[in-house]
Each structure stands twice: as C-alpha cells, then as structure tokens.
Amino acid sequence: IENYKGIKLELYNRYKEDVATVYLMSDVSTDQAFLGDLLFYLLLFSLGTFLVGGLIYAWGIYSTLLKPVKLLWNKILELSKGKISDKLDWKSNDELGDIGSAVNELIDSQKKTASFATKIGNGEFDDDFEPLSEEDVLGMALIEMKNNLLTAKQTEEKQQIEASQRRWAAEGLAKFGEILRQNNN
C-alpha cells in the first residue's frame, strides 16, 4: 500500500444523488517510470520537431532568398563580362523581382545597342537609335559615331566625285594635247 496512490471518483445520476464512489489505485513507482519515459519521449519529439522545422525554414530561405540572389548575381556577372545572355525567366512581386526586371531591361537595352553598333559597323546608317536616357553615355557615343561615319562617308563620296571629275578633265586635256601633237601642221 505504500507504493500506491488512490484517486476518489464519485459518480452521480442526473438528480445529483450519490450513486457510487470508486477509488482508482495506481502504483507510484510505475507512475514515476512512466513520467520519466514520457519526458524522454517528449524531449525526442520536441527535438525532432525542431529539426524538421529548421529544415523547412532553411529550405524556405534558400528558395525565396538565396536562390534568386544567386541567379541575379550570375546574370549580372555575365553582363559585366560583356556577354548578352537570355532574359531571366523568373518573376516575383518583391524587391528581388524589381531587381530582376531591371536586369531584364538591361539585357534588352544591351541587345538593342549591340544590334545598332553592328549595323553601323556594316555601313547601315538608316536605323535610328534612341538612347535609354540623357545620361546614356554609350548610346550617345554610338549616335555620334554614326553621325561622324555618315559625314565621313558623304565627304568621301564627294571627294570621289571631285577626283573623278579631275581625272576626266586630265584625261580630256591629255587627249586634246595628243591630238594637237599629231596634227600640229
């Protein structure tokens, strides 16, 4: 009886009359072992829950923050090396999404600028190029280069016409001189 502990339960009917009294007896030594096991299992469960929750949290941080930052960093690194790559195929409604949109705009403008520079290099001066802004140093330099090359081309064409006219006049004078020499009497 020393190791037992009892709980008194009184049972009543619906008229609040005492129907029965029951004593539940349990072994105290067994209760202490049960509580020790229960605490151990609760500790294991808490540790497991903490680890699983930590993994889920780490995955969430990786997928929503680290992965997009790494993707943006790689694109910007490619652009810094002069490689015009494909646009980012990723959309987000947060600050990283705004940065991604800005990188996509940069890629578009680089493609447009490269296309304009290639056409100028091929001597195609028909296309107009709109700089990105008033501070677009590269765009302004390309427009100035186009204008200078166009002016140089026009000057060269004018000089070729003048040279052709001088050559024609010189050939004509040479023929006239030859005719005079042959018919000097």
Side-chain angles (χ1 to χ4, degrees):
I1 293 181
E2 294 174 0
N3 291 335
Y4 285 90
K5 177 173 84 172
I7 299 174
K8 179 180 175 184
L9 292 176
E10 295 180 358
L11 303 174
Y12 297 97
N13 62 12
R14 64 180 184 183
Y15 303 111
K16 303 286 183 184
E17 297 173 355
D18 187 13
V19 173
T21 301
V22 177
Y23 289 95
L24 295 175
M25 305 295 287
S26 64
D27 188 357
V28 175
S29 60
T30 307
D31 286 348
Q32 289 174 350
F34 173 74
L35 285 176
D37 288 346
L38 180 64
L39 286 175
F40 176 73
Y41 289 122
L42 280 174
L43 180 66
L44 278 178
F45 177 74
S46 298
L47 183 62
T49 304
F50 179 73
L51 287 175
V52 169
L55 288 173
I56 291 172
Y57 181 74
W59 177 80
I61 291 292
Y62 172 76
S63 64
T64 59
L65 186 62
L66 296 179
K67 187 177 177 183
V69 167
K70 181 83 171 167
L71 181 66
L72 286 169
W73 181 71
N74 286 335
K75 273 300 178 193
I76 292 171
L77 190 62
E78 286 178 2
L79 289 170
S80 72
K81 292 179 180 178
K83 181 180 177 187
I84 300 176
S85 58
D86 294 330
K87 290 171 132 183
L88 289 169
D89 188 26
W90 159 68
K91 301 210 183 315
S92 178
N93 293 329
D94 57 2
E95 291 81 5
L96 290 174
D98 294 341
I99 294 171
S101 295
V103 168
N104 283 340
E105 288 177 22
L106 179 62
I107 290 170
D108 284 342
S109 68
Q110 289 235 332
K111 286 180 180 178
K112 183 177 154 186
T113 303
S115 173
F116 182 69
T118 302
K119 287 180 180 179
I120 290 174
N122 293 334
E124 299 173 24
F125 303 114
D126 301 341
D127 283 350
D128 287 332
F129 180 76
E130 181 112 7
L132 301 174
S133 68
E134 293 179 8
E135 291 97 26
D136 184 6
V137 176
L138 180 60
M140 297 294 196
L142 284 173
I143 291 172
E144 186 176 337
M145 182 174 77
K146 172 192 165 188
N147 292 337
N148 290 343
L149 286 172
L150 189 57
T151 303
K153 182 179 178 184
Q154 291 169 347
T155 303
E156 181 184 355
E157 288 173 355
K158 185 178 176 184
Q159 288 174 348
Q160 285 178 350
I161 291 172
E162 290 174 356
S164 173
Q165 289 173 347
R166 282 192 299 271
R167 194 172 41 251
W168 178 80
E171 287 174 4
L173 284 174
K175 281 188 179 185
F176 185 70
E178 188 177 325
I179 291 173
L180 282 178
R181 268 194 311 265
Q182 289 175 358
N183 299 319
N184 61 4
N185 46 353

